[in-house]
Amino acid sequence: MGAAGSKLEKALGDQFPEGERYFGLENFGNTCYCNSVLQALYFCVPFREQLLEYYSNSKNIGDAEENLLTCLADLFTQISSQKKKTGVIAPKRFVQRLKKQNELFRSYMHQDAHEFLNFLLNELVDILEKEAQAAKSDQETSSPPEKLANGPKNGQANGSHKDPLVTLQEAQKRMKIKKPPHVLVIHLKRFKYIEQLGRYKKLSYRVVFPLELKLSNTVEDAESEYSLFAVVVHVGSGPNHGHYVSLVKSHNHWLFFDDENVEMIDESAVQTFFGSAQEYSRKLWIELRAVMPEKIQENDCRFGANMLTRAKQNQTSNFSSLVPDMSRLFKCIRYTSICSRFGQQILRLFERRE
């Protein structure tokens, strides 16, 4: 990450945000689902600020019972307090706690980023509610109970209650959002069950999403406007394999987070990421060409990118035909760390087909 970090700092130059840190997260074996979501949450500024405030207010957080909230707060504090502007951090403590907390994430199998986000946010809410309830109980115990002067409050003194007249009426049903959230999370369902195949299939068609979103005629007495700041993308052709990356907007700059790697991208490139295999292979081809040493020829790099596309799309029925060309692919991989992960994916696909 040293070279990549230097490249990012050089690209931003004098525009590098004051006090901001851009750190990649180490992958512990198919933990890209976790890394991509954590990057999106870290650059959700209100969420980050509240979490860092929680950490600073917890004086004895090191002695407190460890949970996902303390582990996440510790991770965010590690990132924000780094002396270097860029680098790599290993979220080991957080991942270990996650696996301990939920057996679903204990294996090295491919996991779903949306399920992880739901579990994490619900877990954080539960922890905070328990802490608030405990604090309230302590306060009630320490203070004397209030005396009721004139009987129970909200009591009905006089009068009688009559049941309303119930009749059938024509009606229209309508739903509105009573109070819009400060941060809006939208999950696009990109899988569909194909009855003829008896399995789920990835939906790879392009989904156009706006950088600015207005919720009109859905909220009571107001219009809400949201600005896109993070996108988590699943790259791959099926639900049981693939890779997660995240695109994040920070201080008017868009950044591409791929586990340990962090780099700048143009805003115009953001909407080209919609979960297909081709989009990532095109990016891989550009990166290979950028770092290509003299020993690697241009057609070898093109071959590596094309091989990745074919493997991810499962368009090759006979993987034995790829064996003679594997040496060319790994000729690229040996000279650049960028696609080592994808080389291993291709090998696994090859072994599975054999």
Side-chain angles (χ1 to χ4, degrees):
M1 182 65 190
S6 302
K7 184 179 178 181
L8 178 60
E9 289 185 53
K10 186 177 180 181
L12 287 169
D14 296 336
Q15 297 182 7
F16 203 104
E18 183 70 25
E20 192 61 270
R21 298 292 180 267
Y22 299 130
F23 274 71
L25 298 175
E26 185 178 338
N27 190 313
F28 292 101
N30 275 345
T31 55
C32 57
Y33 71 93
C34 175
N35 291 344
S36 58
V37 170
L38 290 179
Q39 295 289 9
L41 290 177
Y42 183 81
F43 289 96
C44 177
V45 177
F47 181 85
R48 186 210 307 184
E49 290 179 346
Q50 289 290 324
L51 200 60
L52 294 177
E53 183 180 350
Y54 171 86
Y55 187 90
S56 61
N57 291 338
S58 302
K59 297 179 181 179
N60 300 319
I61 196 168
D63 301 327
E65 181 183 355
E66 182 182 275
N67 53 45
L68 278 178
L69 179 60
T70 60
C71 291
L72 185 61
D74 179 66
L75 175 62
F76 279 20
T77 303
Q78 283 186 51
I79 297 174
S80 63
S81 60
Q82 290 290 319
K83 294 181 179 180
K84 293 183 179 180
K85 295 180 178 180
T86 58
V88 177
I89 281 184
K92 188 174 182 180
R93 182 186 173 197
F94 178 84
V95 173
Q96 286 178 340
R97 184 66 205 183
L98 174 66
K99 292 182 177 182
K100 184 178 180 180
Q101 196 95 3
N102 191 329
E103 62 180 357
L104 178 68
F105 303 108
R106 289 176 193 169
S107 70
Y108 289 94
M109 294 177 63
H110 186 73
Q111 302 295 340
D112 185 85
H114 181 242
E115 289 181 3
F116 165 66
L117 175 63
N118 279 344
F119 170 75
L120 177 61
L121 294 181
N122 288 331
E123 190 68 20
L124 298 184
V125 170
D126 288 343
I127 293 171
L128 291 172
E129 286 181 346
K130 288 178 182 178
E131 290 183 358
Q133 187 64 36
K136 184 179 179 181
S137 299
D138 293 342
Q139 186 177 5
E140 290 177 352
T141 304
S142 59
S143 59
E146 294 183 7
K147 293 183 178 180
L148 300 179
N150 299 315
K153 294 181 179 180
N154 300 326
Q156 187 174 353
N158 299 312
S160 60
H161 176 74
K162 294 183 179 180
D163 293 330
L165 181 64
V166 179
T167 59
L168 296 177
Q169 301 286 337
E170 290 188 5
Q172 290 183 343
K173 185 177 181 180
R174 183 179 184 182
M175 296 182 68
K176 278 193 173 185
I177 301 173
K178 188 171 184 179
K179 184 179 179 182
H182 294 294
V183 179
L184 179 66
V185 180
I186 298 177
H187 174 233
L188 301 180
K189 185 179 179 182
R190 302 289 281 152
F191 299 99
K192 181 180 180 181
Y193 184 77
I194 307 299
E195 193 169 344
Q196 295 85 344
L197 300 176
R199 60 180 174 84
Y200 285 93
K201 180 183 178 182
K202 173 75 178 286
L203 304 177
S204 297
Y205 56 81
R206 184 180 181 186
V207 176
V208 180
F209 49 88
L211 300 180
E212 302 289 335
L213 176 66
K214 282 187 177 182
L215 292 183
S216 56
N217 203 28
T218 56
V219 182
E220 288 185 353
D221 303 325
E223 283 193 358
S224 297
E225 185 172 351
Y226 296 91
S227 296
L228 185 69
F229 73 89
V231 184
V232 175
V233 184
H234 175 268
V235 181
S237 58
N240 299 319
H241 60 271
H243 184 58
Y244 281 102
V245 297
S246 54
L247 314 171
V248 169
K249 187 177 184 180
S250 172
H251 301 273
N252 295 321
H253 298 290
W254 278 96
L255 300 169
F256 176 84
F257 287 86
D258 179 6
D259 290 333
E260 297 90 348
N261 299 309
V262 186
E263 62 184 73
M264 282 187 65
I265 61 170
D266 292 332
E267 184 176 85
S268 59
V270 173
Q271 292 185 336
T272 64
F273 285 83
F274 52 91
S276 69
Q278 298 97 317
E279 69 195 27
Y280 209 57
S281 63
R282 285 198 301 269
K283 183 179 182 300
L284 174 63
W285 150 238
I286 295 171
E287 290 178 338
L288 282 171
R289 186 175 59 183
V291 299
M292 180 176 60
E294 294 180 359
K295 294 182 180 180
I296 302 179
Q297 301 298 320
E298 182 172 327
N299 57 350
D300 287 323
C301 288
R302 283 190 181 277
F303 166 80
N306 291 334
M307 178 77 79
L308 173 63
T309 302
R310 292 172 63 193
K312 281 187 172 293
Q313 289 180 318
N314 292 324
Q315 291 179 348
T316 306
S317 58
N318 182 13
F319 269 59
S320 299
S321 63
L322 300 182
V323 175
D325 292 332
M326 280 292 178
S327 60
R328 290 182 63 196
L329 175 62
F330 287 99
K331 184 179 179 183
C332 301
I333 294 173
R334 280 196 300 270
Y335 289 103
T336 173
S337 61
I338 291 177
C339 62
S340 59
R341 180 185 304 110
F342 304 102
Q344 295 301 319
Q345 287 182 11
I346 292 174
L347 273 183
R348 284 197 293 271
L349 285 170
F350 170 72
E351 292 168 355
R352 192 179 304 136
R353 289 288 182 138
E354 287 297 292

